[in-house]
Amino acid sequence: MCKKSGGIAVIFKKSLETSLTFLSSESQFVQWMKVTKSIFGLQNDVIVGCIYIPPEGSKYSNLEAFDEIENELMSLKKVSDVHTALIGDFNAKTGILNDFVLADETLLDLFHLDTDNEIISYMLDYENLKSYNIPLQRVTQCSCQPNTYGYKLLNCCKKLNMYIANSRIGVDKGVGKLPCKNTSVVDYLLLSSKLFTLVKEFEIQQFDPLLSDVHSAIHITLKSQSTSHKNNSVTSDQTPKTRWHDNKRNQFVNTVHNKKEQLSAILNDLHILHSSDHCTQHEIDKVVDSIGEILVSSANETFIKKHALQHKELTRNHGIQNSVTMLEKNFTKQENNTIYYSVQAPV
């Protein structure tokens, strides 16, 4: 689907492909992904929702977005008992309002619910956070008043027993750093209570214009089981890996800018897509691939040392010459003096 406001992309390592299942959704505001329980050593799988909800008040805003996400997640939880996580740009301002409901023991007694273990477990789920030394009360550097989206998000948390991780864990614990324009908190990580024990690192990183126009990246690392992955495609003739060097940041940007013809072609394609009421997946993929080609080629030109590429080419040419020489030494002359042989250059 072609959307004119934001979008969602999930990038993962090839070695994790068999451990991830992307689930269908009728909502354009979420991409669901199921992560197999074996990765984390859990008894249940983990459902992750990657979120983008357009800003409140914009022409793309939709108050039903939170209801759609909530209903789909509840449906997924009915199919099987799973842990849940939501991460992304909710454009919701929540302040420090509670994302949980304190159980009223009087009501539990009054309606004789104190003997129903399932209800007790649901209503006292927040006690898990206290047992993990996770503070119930949040803090924030944001001075914004909660907005309608914020109240919607908090209601989702209360119904689904999910909790905002921001300001509760990692280096952001007790801080509540601002991830958007350094003025507001609209990007969140939400976790079901038992997933908090898996979090090794949580950080709102420094703003990087290469990653976003206004948002800082949310960095999270989860504990996982030790696994080994074999990659049969790796060979000794593999292209040198590109690694980012921050001291060459400006050089990289200049390299991208110098690809004027390619950039102009991409801008033209984007203008056509933006002006069109309908666009195909192929058209979107074509633009994305073109952008990727520019970034990859610019990275190779900036960060990979020339002698490494030259060595690769020399090695390849040397391999071809060796193959030809061996074939020339071992060719077979037929009775009619015709020589039959083939040369296949090493890849």
Side-chain angles (χ1 to χ4, degrees):
M1 178 183 294
C2 178
K3 296 191 297 180
K4 297 182 179 179
S5 176
I8 301 170
V10 178
I11 302 172
F12 57 90
K13 288 187 176 181
K14 183 72 173 178
S15 58
L16 295 174
E17 186 173 16
T18 57
S19 301
L20 306 177
T21 303
F22 289 91
L23 309 175
S24 60
S25 171
E26 295 183 1
S27 174
Q28 62 178 332
F29 306 108
V30 59
Q31 171 63 64
W32 297 111
M33 177 176 65
K34 182 169 72 173
V35 186
T36 184
K37 57 190 175 184
S38 59
I39 286 185
F40 303 117
L42 298 172
Q43 294 183 347
N44 304 102
D45 293 329
V46 178
I47 297 291
V48 179
C50 303
I51 309 293
Y52 174 72
I53 299 177
E56 181 180 336
S58 72
K59 65 178 181 179
Y60 304 111
S61 65
N62 188 333
L63 286 175
E64 296 180 358
F66 291 90
D67 296 327
E68 291 178 9
I69 294 169
E70 177 188 324
N71 292 335
E72 287 200 345
L73 187 52
M74 291 181 70
S75 297
L76 291 171
K77 293 178 70 174
K78 286 180 181 178
V79 175
S80 60
D81 190 12
V82 293
H83 303 289
T84 54
L86 299 175
I87 186 170
D89 179 3
F90 294 80
N91 273 301
K93 299 174 183 177
T94 61
I96 56 173
L97 297 178
N98 285 345
D99 51 0
F100 60 94
V101 178
L102 288 173
D104 189 325
E105 295 185 8
T106 302
L107 288 178
L108 292 176
D109 292 338
L110 180 63
F111 292 101
H112 305 291
L113 300 175
D114 53 339
T115 57
D116 190 319
N117 291 333
E118 186 174 348
I119 291 179
I120 291 295
S121 176
Y122 173 79
M123 297 190 69
L124 297 179
D125 183 79
Y126 60 84
E127 292 288 345
N128 288 325
L129 269 64
K130 295 166 68 174
S131 67
Y132 304 146
N133 197 30
I134 305 294
L136 288 181
Q137 300 303 319
R138 297 182 294 122
V139 299
T140 182
Q141 295 178 356
C142 179
S143 58
C144 305
Q145 292 296 315
N147 61 359
T148 302
Y149 276 13
Y151 288 109
K152 285 274 191 180
L153 178 60
L154 293 170
N155 285 335
C156 284
C157 290
K158 293 171 183 177
K159 292 179 183 178
L160 297 169
N161 271 344
M162 298 188 70
Y163 308 90
I164 295 172
N166 304 49
S167 85
R168 281 184 167 132
I169 54 176
V171 297
D172 197 46
K173 186 173 184 178
V175 178
K177 190 174 178 180
L178 306 171
C180 182
K181 298 181 182 178
N182 204 31
T183 58
S184 61
V185 179
V186 294
D187 307 289
Y188 299 91
L189 169 67
L190 275 58
L191 299 172
S192 53
S193 61
K194 293 184 179 179
L195 286 185
F196 276 86
T197 59
L198 292 181
V199 179
K200 290 178 62 178
E201 299 174 359
F202 178 86
E203 178 185 7
I204 307 297
Q205 296 186 326
Q206 293 296 320
F207 173 71
D208 188 337
L210 285 175
L211 299 178
S212 174
D213 54 348
V214 295
H215 296 269
S216 298
I218 294 180
H219 167 79
I220 176 174
T221 302
L222 302 178
K223 300 174 186 176
S224 63
Q225 297 294 304
S226 177
T227 57
S228 59
H229 301 281
K230 295 181 179 179
N231 188 349
N232 296 325
S233 63
V234 176
T235 66
S236 59
D237 195 38
Q238 192 176 30
T239 302
K241 292 184 178 180
T242 307
R243 295 185 180 277
W244 177 263
H245 298 284
D246 202 57
N247 60 334
K248 293 186 176 181
R249 173 197 297 254
N250 293 334
Q251 184 180 340
F252 172 76
V253 173
N254 291 334
T255 304
V256 173
H257 286 170
N258 288 335
K259 300 182 183 295
K260 300 184 186 301
E261 291 186 7
Q262 293 167 269
L263 291 172
S264 296
I266 291 173
L267 288 174
N268 183 60
D269 290 340
L270 288 173
H271 177 72
I272 293 173
L273 291 179
H274 184 74
S275 304
S276 174
D277 292 331
H278 301 283
C279 53
T280 66
Q281 186 66 48
H282 174 72
E283 291 172 324
I284 298 172
D285 291 343
K286 180 183 176 183
V287 174
V288 173
D289 289 342
S290 298
I291 295 172
E293 288 172 5
I294 288 181
L295 295 177
V296 171
S297 62
S298 298
N300 288 339
E301 294 171 25
T302 305
F303 303 119
I304 295 182
K305 295 180 180 179
K306 291 183 178 180
H307 69 77
L309 293 175
Q310 291 170 350
H311 174 73
K312 172 180 170 59
E313 186 62 27
L314 287 172
T315 302
R316 183 176 185 275
N317 291 339
H318 181 66
I320 295 174
Q321 184 59 47
N322 285 345
S323 298
V324 173
T325 302
M326 290 178 63
L327 287 165
E328 287 176 343
K329 288 182 178 179
N330 296 288
F331 67 81
T332 302
K333 287 188 177 181
Q334 304 297 327
E335 291 182 356
N336 60 1
N337 292 325
T338 303
I339 301 174
Y340 296 92
Y341 67 93
S342 63
V343 178
Q344 182 175 2
V347 178

